[in-house]
Amino acid sequence: MATNEDGSVTRKEHHGYIGVSAVIVVMRHGCTEEETEGVRNHIETIRGLQAHISPGVERTVIGVLGEIYPELQNEMEQLPGVLEVVRISKPYKLAGKEMHPEPTLVKVGDVTIGGDEVVIMAGPCSVEDEKQIIDTAITARNAGARILRGGAFKPRSSPYNFRGLGVEGLRLLAKARNESGLPVITEVMTAEDVPLVEEYADILQVGARNVQNFILLDAVGKCHKPVLLKRGFATSYEEWLLSAEYVLAGGNDQVILCERGIRTVETYTRNTLDLGAIPVIKRLSHLPIVADPSHGTGKWHLVAPMALAAVAAGADGLLIEVHPNPDRALSDGAQSLTFENFNKLMNGVRSVGQAVNRPISSGVQ
Amino acid sequence: MATNEDGSVTRKEHHGYIGVSAVIVVMRHGCTEEETEGVRNHIETIRGLQAHISPGVERTVIGVLGEIYPELQNEMEQLPGVLEVVRISKPYKLAGKEMHPEPTLVKVGDVTIGGDEVVIMAGPCSVEDEKQIIDTAITARNAGARILRGGAFKPRSSPYNFRGLGVEGLRLLAKARNESGLPVITEVMTAEDVPLVEEYADILQVGARNVQNFILLDAVGKCHKPVLLKRGFATSYEEWLLSAEYVLAGGNDQVILCERGIRTVETYTRNTLDLGAIPVIKRLSHLPIVADPSHGTGKWHLVAPMALAAVAAGADGLLIEVHPNPDRALSDGAQSLTFENFNKLMNGVRSVGQAVNRPISSGVQ
Amino acid sequence: MATNEDGSVTRKEHHGYIGVSAVIVVMRHGCTEEETEGVRNHIETIRGLQAHISPGVERTVIGVLGEIYPELQNEMEQLPGVLEVVRISKPYKLAGKEMHPEPTLVKVGDVTIGGDEVVIMAGPCSVEDEKQIIDTAITARNAGARILRGGAFKPRSSPYNFRGLGVEGLRLLAKARNESGLPVITEVMTAEDVPLVEEYADILQVGARNVQNFILLDAVGKCHKPVLLKRGFATSYEEWLLSAEYVLAGGNDQVILCERGIRTVETYTRNTLDLGAIPVIKRLSHLPIVADPSHGTGKWHLVAPMALAAVAAGADGLLIEVHPNPDRALSDGAQSLTFENFNKLMNGVRSVGQAVNRPISSGVQ
Amino acid sequence: MATNEDGSVTRKEHHGYIGVSAVIVVMRHGCTEEETEGVRNHIETIRGLQAHISPGVERTVIGVLGEIYPELQNEMEQLPGVLEVVRISKPYKLAGKEMHPEPTLVKVGDVTIGGDEVVIMAGPCSVEDEKQIIDTAITARNAGARILRGGAFKPRSSPYNFRGLGVEGLRLLAKARNESGLPVITEVMTAEDVPLVEEYADILQVGARNVQNFILLDAVGKCHKPVLLKRGFATSYEEWLLSAEYVLAGGNDQVILCERGIRTVETYTRNTLDLGAIPVIKRLSHLPIVADPSHGTGKWHLVAPMALAAVAAGADGLLIEVHPNPDRALSDGAQSLTFENFNKLMNGVRSVGQAVNRPISSGVQ
């Protein structure tokens, strides 16, 4: 590891980040010259950045320029004489809109996510057997879904729950793709499995519990399929975009974000679906964003109203759990729609899509 | 205060609540007979309720019947030998759907809230002067609003913010009603002010910070105007309905609930607008529910998408902040729409309302 | 209401706030001159503040000086060309340490809160009858409590719960003070009751649900007894100090803060007691801070460990619920200590107090 | 996958869980016989469990016995006629106290965690170079630490932050162990790395972001070193214990839990350290629990008061970040203590430990 002559470490060697960001250090009213000098020294000598000192009547303010890294803010708040440190730019770069104003279009076969059309992805929580997944794929397609979802590797909070069929599940998904013509999205839980899942799936899903599994993010950043990145239970928009930044920095620019609810003080619903994330992400980022009202609510009777709401709020797509017989589902039966209810939901979604000038992608030329 | 012969206090004398609820007490595996007897004694002798003991192979389970009160659950969890206590019914009665399955319709002049139509309420955060409120009222009405909102008494987190014009604000609201024909909703902050506000307003609003100001809830429960009850920053659906229960129990059955966002780990938006509250409340209660996307997001550019989403989710109405010149607003300028943007929002809302078979109330016969 | 010649409103007329704060506006990379000019115009012409423009290579930064009010930040973020607005000072003034570095000592009879000694306040959740409150007062005093707590007016989430004895409760508290020699703290729920409660109590408590009941804060700001201000369920440190600012700005400088738990994703405990609040408030403010582990946990068996922890973290006092017979308590029995357990807790608290050089106030000369 | 003759799937084949748990299904007032029969059918025919129906005057209640799995509750709430479903036992078994009442003692060399003594683990956030880690190890040991912490693989929210020295970091840790005699704890981020990290470390740490990385939990469940499992940002006590259950079910019974703060509405501190977790976990589980006030607060000046509070609350140990020069630390400098401050903290911890009869483990015979 490289250190400077004076013993300081210049961080850029670790990451090569060419930042456009800056921070502003506000000194306490009546701070001493030694304190101001200490801050300047920290910035310039220890961290190798530039300090611009503006003495004021009320307070001295010091601007910091250079290759800022996210935690500099917290670090400098601890120095003597410092009142507050404020960051004046976003810590993500590739995921942000400033450097990339046009929306990213993610292409999967003849389906485009992030364009004018709203794309519906549907299927069971878990792949259970051949008949279940193929029946669901064909029904979903006929009702208007463009992408088939289905879990082969399932993260479960208890070790005693059904954890998926694994490779066999991937094979069944591939079979269902052949039968239905729908591309397939499925979850990958660990970096080791990325090559395997990539072989079978058209989109790799990173689940909520893995939103900050950085090893996995690095791995999908190196793969050649689009990645759908779910928001975590307590992930801020900024952290979510930083997780996307991992994938983008790895070289994979086909990233879809998926709002699936956050944990709040309300426990009646499984999660609180934060639909405000949709217009916010549209403002901060060029990446497409879809909503998952099935996990977002955890109750099947709430899925349709929240699906319609997501489309009205501007979602680029929906992820919906559908099962031939939710009562017998091996996982998430409570939030899965029957075929009949999925058909109803598609009709509703089409009406709302039309109302907001976002036609539902239909695959029909 | 009445006590029983043995010194116990029968709670019903305090409130006369005829509960249909019950709780189930689950004893620990291997608990002693003394422990089971202690629980029975607590239920029957101390609390005057009935205990039904079912000894099981694995565990003994004790059902409790009678006039259950909300905190019995927590109280019994502390008794020796008790593993868990579960409540098997809702603590609210008048606000719930079980006893009152048909939706409540709240009538204000010729406007009905809670029926087929979606009712738009619009106006500035604060009443600032005559011209401002009258111009806004007429513009809002022409664009399709049916009710005028405007604050005369303003709760502000800092004592140094503008706190409203008070009685003068109420007078200006009444004037704006005369000029525009729109009924008026405004906030009341304290029980003492209820008669005054009732004199001027058509709907009394109880703000988020007062959702558990029980003195105020008692007072509006006794008044003769409809009450709009905002959800608090960290209020669960159950607590919110219990707060409504205060108003209903006071004799006022014209209550409208208003989702206005809760506080979560996300700080980019002022609050997280929980649109899931709309279908949930529709399922638990007969009371109408409206959404306030202005406070729910805190940023004007998020108001329109979230307003459309709220209508798609099934809201009975919207509360929208509109100001002739948001940049000069004395409060909440950042989340207020210009007249032009409000007109655009109304067009969007009409399209989405039509898509979900909820026409926007227009006042036109 | 006064407006300037150009129609703008200078806010200082509303509140007379002489702020030492400032905000910094960061313009977007590549913003136009018109946009920069628009911001300058907003600051100077519309708001009557001073703008200092610093054009930079990367970004233009504009400092704003003058009588800043809290929501200016949000307001300016909406202007065209603005990337971010950062506030570089605290919105509270009287509650902060910058202008008042020495700790505030709150005096009640011969008890001092905020000095070297830790003050224990104990008593039942609700005053229930004469024997209950007098027995508790004497036992608490003998065990080492210096102040008697007891509710006469009780905020309850359900209208069907016991809501306190009201004035009769105040009279019983006064009697218990005479018998025990302990000063009394009790809750006041509405501005109207302040004169009444002030007549009987030695410290007025503002409860968690009223932390932003600004009418009540104004009223206790005008009273002549110390005020204990509980933190709300979802109140940030800054908002809490702003609520204290209301009381201080009203002229009452005898304010005690009380951490009593916030609502989080964890529902096993009634609240999550945030003991970090203690050292944080000590850093931000000169006001004393005490902890309430009874409400903070909701379970009696968690009260002692959290009470010890609060003292270790630097609390100036504790508020503990004690009841002669918690099983028969009319409210909060589950979190109340028996006399025996309170005695044990006092022994533990004395040891920990000694370990951190904070003797427990004993009243013995 | 095995299915029954009638097409239903008996879940036990997936996991072999012999549950002692049960659920109770409460039917709606006035539900039909068909609805009750439907529930019975679901329980018995579809799920292969036993149903015990108790018709009541007010409501019918159905008990379910057999091998209950966690999501049965949510699933059954969706059936027609069902009002509520309540679970009457914990979903974890090996981690709970019912089957294992005595505390687990985790042994690392001659250090025991979970016994009478409080064990201090200290060291830098990241291993940076040989001198840094060895100096810190020796200083920490001399001050009274019994275990050395240090990160070789670092999870970072931004891809542009320093991510650790990797294998070289592990080697330096091993060297520091040799020099200081202190056993070493370090984080493992992915299942693939478990054999490598196990080779160098004495305790494997699973970080907060990986608390539900089930692949990793499975892997450390198979390893032969103790595992320290941090709580996640929004993890409930129950989920945390379920994550521990993964490790225990894998065959590794040496698990230490670590409270390190959760995310709440308060953003002044990096996290909200939930010290209530300590006595709660002691009540629910036999596993030892330690606290990490460095991550729990994110600010060095809050570490000492929260460390003392954790010991007072009953923590079995502390994890403290110490750095020879926090200003130059490559990560988490803001929350790291200098050697001098660590010495002070140890003195405070010794006093408080003595006050609560928990001596600080000293290694001296």
Side-chain angles (χ1 to χ4, degrees), chain D residues 44-353:
Chain D
E44 299 192 338
T45 316
I46 299 188
R47 292 306 186 198
L49 303 165
Q50 290 169 49
H52 292 235
I53 302 185
S54 321
V57 180
E58 285 277 5
R59 297 166 193 284
T60 295
V61 169
I62 306 174
V64 187
L65 293 175
E67 302 185 6
I68 309 297
Y69 45 93
E71 71 182 27
L72 181 67
Q73 181 177 3
N74 203 1
E75 179 183 309
M76 302 231 304
E77 263 172 12
Q78 317 297 324
L79 297 181
V82 173
L83 178 69
E84 224 163 336
V85 180
V86 285
R87 201 180 64 204
I88 60 170
S89 57
K90 310 294 182 213
Y92 45 82
K93 197 174 52 159
L94 304 173
K97 227 173 170 172
E98 267 198 305
M99 317 290 274
H100 187 316
E102 336 71 54
T104 285
L105 303 181
V106 174
K107 310 237 176 185
V108 189
D110 63 343
V111 183
T112 299
I113 301 162
D116 287 342
E117 295 185 333
V118 177
V119 174
I120 310 302
M121 317 185 193
C125 178
S126 305
V127 180
E128 294 170 10
D129 58 46
E130 186 169 329
K131 184 170 163 36
Q132 173 238 23
I133 189 66
I134 291 179
D135 282 2
T136 306
I138 290 173
T139 308
R141 182 202 62 196
N142 292 347
R146 299 298 314 277
I147 293 174
L148 175 66
R149 60 148 292 155
F153 298 101
K154 299 297 307 169
R156 305 306 303 269
S157 57
S158 163
Y160 308 124
N161 276 331
F162 173 57
R163 296 169 68 179
L165 296 181
V167 186
E168 174 62 13
L170 294 176
R171 282 194 203 108
L172 294 176
L173 279 169
K175 218 168 196 174
R177 172 176 48 207
N178 290 345
E179 301 287 330
S180 66
L182 297 183
V184 156
I185 176 171
T186 197
E187 178 159 358
V188 58
M189 284 177 65
T190 184
E192 231 177 330
D193 287 346
V194 169
L196 174 72
V197 177
E198 191 180 6
E199 198 181 315
Y200 289 94
D202 300 288
I203 306 177
L204 277 67
Q205 175 178 312
V206 174
R209 293 172 180 82
N210 281 323
V211 69
Q212 292 196 320
N213 181 337
F214 303 117
I215 306 286
L216 177 57
L217 294 176
D218 278 342
V220 297
K222 301 261 173 297
C223 87
H224 302 90
K225 294 280 173 72
V227 172
L228 180 140
L229 178 60
K230 290 199 161 186
R231 185 181 183 186
F233 294 152
T235 309
S236 68
Y237 301 145
E238 186 171 299
E239 289 170 323
W240 193 14
L241 289 172
L242 276 169
S243 288
E245 187 90 4
Y246 266 88
V247 185
L248 298 169
N252 187 345
D253 62 0
Q254 295 279 292
V255 176
I256 305 158
L257 298 170
C258 177
E259 163 64 33
R260 45 77 70 210
I262 53 172
R263 196 161 281 187
T264 68
V265 296
E266 184 56 68
T267 56
Y268 180 88
T269 44
R270 184 168 171 178
N271 295 288
T272 296
L273 189 65
D274 173 19
L275 293 181
I278 297 168
V280 170
I281 291 293
K282 289 275 171 212
R283 196 172 176 89
L284 298 178
S285 177
H286 50 88
L287 297 172
I289 177 164
V290 304
D292 176 348
S294 304
H295 285 89
T297 62
K299 298 185 189 285
W300 71 266
H301 53 84
L302 300 175
V303 172
M306 296 310 278
L308 304 194
V311 172
D316 294 307
L318 297 174
L319 213 54
I320 305 283
E321 287 192 1
V322 181
H323 194 282
N325 191 342
D327 290 350
R328 289 167 187 250
L330 290 182
S331 59
D332 285 351
Q335 69 194 34
S336 296
L337 298 186
T338 58
F339 290 164
E340 188 190 343
N341 282 327
F342 180 63
N343 263 304
K344 281 188 203 156
L345 175 140
M346 286 302 299
N347 289 336
V349 157
R350 270 188 213 102
S351 297
V352 173

Side-chain angles (χ1 to χ4, degrees), chain C residues 13-90:
Chain C
E13 297 178 47
H14 294 298
H15 52 63
Y17 176 41
I18 306 300
V20 293
S21 60
V23 302
I24 289 174
V25 181
V26 185
M27 302 300 291
R28 286 182 191 284
H29 183 70
C31 71
T32 64
E33 274 190 39
E34 284 70 34
E35 288 171 339
T36 305
E37 184 52 25
V39 172
R40 197 201 55 71
N41 181 55
H42 185 93
I43 294 165
E44 299 193 336
T45 314
I46 299 187
R47 292 307 186 197
L49 302 165
Q50 290 170 48
H52 292 236
I53 302 184
S54 320
V57 181
E58 284 279 7
R59 296 166 194 285
T60 294
V61 170
I62 306 175
V64 186
L65 293 175
E67 302 184 9
I68 308 296
Y69 44 95
E71 72 182 25
L72 181 67
Q73 180 178 4
N74 203 0
E75 178 183 310
M76 303 231 302
E77 263 172 11
Q78 316 297 325
L79 299 180
V82 172
L83 178 68
E84 223 164 337
V85 180
V86 284
R87 198 180 64 202
I88 59 170
S89 57
K90 309 296 181 213

Side-chain angles (χ1 to χ4, degrees), chain A residues 1 3 6-9 11 14-17 41-42 45-47 69-71 74-79 91-94 128-129 154-163 165 189-193 209-210 212-215 218 233-236 239 242-243 245-246 249 263 270 298-301 326-335, chain D residues 1 3 6-9 11 14-15 17 41-42 45-47 69-71 74-79 91-94 128-129 154-163 165 189-193 209-210 212-215 218 233-236 239 242-243 245-246 249 263 270 298-301 325-335:
Chain A
M1 208 183 66
T3 44
D6 65 344
S8 70
V9 178
R11 285 181 189 231
H14 294 298
H15 53 63
Y17 176 42
N41 181 55
H42 185 94
T45 315
I46 299 188
R47 292 307 186 196
Y69 45 94
E71 71 182 27
N74 204 0
E75 179 182 309
M76 302 232 301
E77 263 172 13
Q78 317 297 325
L79 298 180
Y92 46 82
K93 196 174 56 159
L94 303 173
E128 293 170 10
D129 58 45
K154 299 297 307 170
R156 304 307 302 270
S157 56
S158 163
Y160 308 125
N161 276 330
F162 174 56
R163 295 169 68 179
L165 296 181
M189 284 177 65
T190 184
E192 231 177 328
D193 287 346
R209 292 172 181 83
N210 282 321
Q212 292 196 320
N213 181 336
F214 303 118
I215 306 286
D218 278 342
F233 294 153
T235 310
S236 69
E239 288 170 323
L242 276 168
S243 287
E245 187 91 3
Y246 266 87
R263 197 160 280 186
R270 184 169 173 178
K299 298 184 190 284
W300 71 264
H301 53 84
D327 288 351
R328 290 167 187 250
L330 289 181
S331 59
D332 284 353
Q335 70 195 33
Chain D
M1 209 181 64
T3 44
D6 67 344
S8 70
V9 178
R11 283 179 192 236
H14 294 300
H15 52 65
Y17 175 43
N41 181 57
H42 185 93
T45 316
I46 299 188
R47 292 306 186 198
Y69 45 93
E71 71 182 27
N74 203 1
E75 179 183 309
M76 302 231 304
E77 263 172 12
Q78 317 297 324
L79 297 181
Y92 45 82
K93 197 174 52 159
L94 304 173
E128 294 170 10
D129 58 46
K154 299 297 307 169
R156 305 306 303 269
S157 57
S158 163
Y160 308 124
N161 276 331
F162 173 57
R163 296 169 68 179
L165 296 181
M189 284 177 65
T190 184
E192 231 177 330
D193 287 346
R209 293 172 180 82
N210 281 323
Q212 292 196 320
N213 181 337
F214 303 117
I215 306 286
D218 278 342
F233 294 152
T235 309
S236 68
E239 289 170 323
L242 276 169
S243 288
E245 187 90 4
Y246 266 88
R263 196 161 281 187
R270 184 168 171 178
K299 298 185 189 285
W300 71 266
H301 53 84
N325 191 342
D327 290 350
R328 289 167 187 250
L330 290 182
S331 59
D332 285 351
Q335 69 194 34

Side-chain angles (χ1 to χ4, degrees), chain C residues 300 303-304 320-324 326 335-339 341-342 345:
Chain C
W300 71 264
V303 172
I320 305 284
E321 287 192 359
V322 181
H323 193 281
Q335 69 194 35
S336 295
L337 297 187
T338 58
F339 291 164
N341 282 328
F342 180 63
L345 176 141

Side-chain angles (χ1 to χ4, degrees), chain B residues 15 156 160 163 218 245, chain C residues 15 156 160 163 218 246:
Chain B
H15 53 63
R156 304 307 301 271
Y160 309 123
R163 295 169 69 180
D218 278 341
E245 187 91 3
Chain C
H15 52 63
R156 304 307 301 270
Y160 308 124
R163 295 168 70 180
D218 278 342
Y246 265 88

